Amino acid sequence: GAGVSQSPSNKVTEKGKDVELRCDPISGHTALYWYRQSLGQGLEFLIYFQGNSAPDKSGLPSDRFSAERTGGSVSTLTIQRTQQEDSAVYLCASSPAVGRGLGSYEQYFGPGTRLTVT
Amino acid sequence: ELKVEQNPLFLSMQEGKNYTIYCNYSTTSDRLYWYRQDPGKSLESLFVLLSNGAVKQEGRLMASLDTKARLSTLHITAAVHDLSATYFCAVDSSLGTYKYIFGTGTRLKVLA
């Protein structure tokens, strides 16, 4: 079946412009996560969705970053007035559910969007 | 705040050798994941460890979890070049939200 897809795969933008990154999770997955990975670094948590709501936005670096999810499916991460330090790979992951039960709640990652701010 | 540390950060080893990567975390969690990332690629799930004492094996890799020590290990047996990649552990924060905190990653290079 189809995995997590992200678009665009690469985005080059000028400083100060707004960008939108899209994530299509695996069908039926209720949880969706956004991470940022700078070159040679680990993953930085940004936000997660449970359905259409975002219980934890604590990782968003500033108010220039926002995200939404509609229909319990597609999510967009918007970065306004981009800065050079926003350059990174933005990874999206989805999971069948969240919880403390017996499920693994394993995350399945998309290929990422490489954002370069010039 | 939950912190997840891996060591070593870099590991260069000869083919055929054994080695262990360590993942320590700072607060209670009973759910730990290992991922592999090849250069320029996304993350691939390797293991899901759901309880104290859990052990999973796949090929030359074996992962274990000790929740009392807040420690997971990823053991590599008789390394081969194809295992060269960056390995991440991730912990479910279990602190009221369901965000996952990733370790710093261990960059493994297996030399022929």
Side-chain angles (χ1 to χ4, degrees):
Chain A
V4 178
S5 62
Q6 292 185 245
S7 61
S9 55
N10 281 285
K11 177 72 176 178
V12 180
T13 189
E14 292 181 352
K15 178 181 172 181
K17 300 285 189 183
D18 297 352
V19 295
E20 272 193 3
L21 312 180
R22 176 187 169 109
C23 173
D24 281 90
I26 293 172
S27 178
H29 280 196
T30 60
L32 186 147
Y33 301 79
W34 283 100
Y35 297 90
R36 179 168 72 173
Q37 186 175 32
S38 301
L39 186 62
Q41 302 297 311
L43 272 70
E44 175 188 4
F45 168 83
L46 298 178
I47 187 171
Y48 90 90
F49 289 89
Q50 187 170 349
N52 290 334
S53 64
D56 193 329
K57 306 179 183 179
S58 62
L60 294 177
S62 73
D63 58 8
R64 296 187 296 105
F65 287 72
S66 63
E68 66 174 11
R69 189 179 185 195
T70 55
S73 181
V74 172
S75 176
T76 55
L77 176 69
T78 302
I79 309 173
Q80 296 179 309
R81 304 180 303 281
T82 52
Q83 304 293 313
Q84 287 185 329
E85 61 262 30
D86 300 334
S87 297
V89 175
Y90 289 82
L91 291 165
C92 172
S94 71
S95 175
V98 295
R100 298 280 175 261
L102 296 178
S104 72
Y105 310 114
E106 183 177 359
Q107 294 184 39
Y108 298 83
F109 281 82
T113 294
R114 182 176 299 277
L115 175 65
T116 304
V117 182
T118 62
Chain B
E1 181 183 340
L2 174 62
K3 294 188 187 301
V4 182
E5 295 183 344
Q6 287 180 238
N7 70 84
L9 298 183
F10 298 97
L11 176 57
S12 180
M13 57 191 297
Q14 296 289 329
E15 277 195 328
K17 298 294 187 183
N18 304 333
Y19 208 84
T20 300
I21 299 170
Y22 297 88
C23 173
N24 291 86
Y25 53 97
S26 60
T27 63
T28 300
S29 178
D30 57 2
R31 200 183 299 264
L32 189 138
Y33 305 81
W34 283 97
Y35 291 88
R36 167 181 173 147
Q37 185 177 38
D38 291 294
K41 300 291 180 62
S42 191
L43 278 75
E44 172 193 354
S45 178
L46 292 175
F47 299 109
V48 180
L49 302 170
L50 298 178
S51 61
N52 186 41
V55 177
K56 295 278 185 73
Q57 182 163 6
E58 180 73 32
R60 301 175 187 274
L61 300 178
M62 183 174 71
S64 65
L65 177 61
D66 181 342
T67 58
K68 293 180 181 177
R70 299 176 184 170
L71 171 69
S72 178
T73 60
L74 181 65
H75 187 72
I76 304 158
T77 302
V80 293
H81 180 71
D82 285 351
L83 291 179
S84 298
T86 299
Y87 294 85
F88 291 96
C89 62
V91 177
D92 178 348
S93 69
S94 300
L95 293 173
T97 74
Y98 297 98
K99 74 180 186 184
Y100 293 79
I101 304 300
F102 279 74
T104 46
T106 296
R107 191 175 301 176
L108 171 66
K109 186 172 183 179
V110 181
L111 305 173

